[in-house]
Amino acid sequence: MAKKDRTADAAREKDREKWMARFQVRLAMQPGVDRAVVLRAVKEVSTHGGGGGEDPRAVFGDPDDHAVQVAARLVPADRAARAKRRDAAVDTFDSVLKKARDIAGL
């Protein structure tokens, strides 16, 4: 019986790690999110149940949705808007470069 419990505990721990990894990646992809925001969010998740043996999916839900919610709460709106504009400008520039390479045959 003890071996079965260890196997179940290992599976739960792996699920927690996968949830946390996906949450961190999705959070880092949100506009305006920097390292400090990610560290603060991870600390919040760890202290509010996700790191204490509970299933973070049961506590916080889907990691993608939670990342969007956390970013909206922790990132100032003006910083997020600046990041979105910068990302849009970079995407536009990349698109122009790609078209120029296609035309030039590079």
Side-chain angles (χ1 to χ4, degrees):
M1 183 76 169
K3 185 174 183 170
K4 195 176 216 180
D5 290 341
R6 283 193 303 253
T7 304
D9 289 344
R12 281 192 294 275
E13 182 60 29
K14 186 170 183 152
D15 288 343
R16 281 192 292 275
E17 289 173 3
K18 288 168 79 174
W19 187 96
M20 186 62 83
R22 183 167 182 105
F23 169 69
Q24 290 178 49
V25 168
R26 293 298 186 184
L27 181 60
M29 292 171 58
Q30 299 302 310
V33 170
D34 59 8
R35 185 174 188 266
V37 170
V38 173
L39 292 175
R40 182 174 169 191
V42 167
K43 184 177 180 181
E44 285 179 5
V45 167
S46 296
T47 58
H48 286 85
E54 294 182 60
D55 178 19
R57 186 172 296 279
V59 177
F60 301 106
D62 181 67
D64 298 343
D65 294 339
H66 190 60
V68 171
Q69 294 168 2
V70 168
R73 185 172 44 85
L74 296 180
V75 176
D78 61 328
R79 187 167 84 189
R82 273 194 315 272
K84 285 179 186 177
R85 285 192 303 272
R86 183 190 65 235
D87 291 347
V90 169
D91 289 346
T92 301
F93 185 70
D94 285 345
S95 177
V96 169
L97 283 177
K98 183 180 181 312
K99 288 178 183 175
R101 283 189 209 117
D102 289 345
I103 291 170
L106 299 175

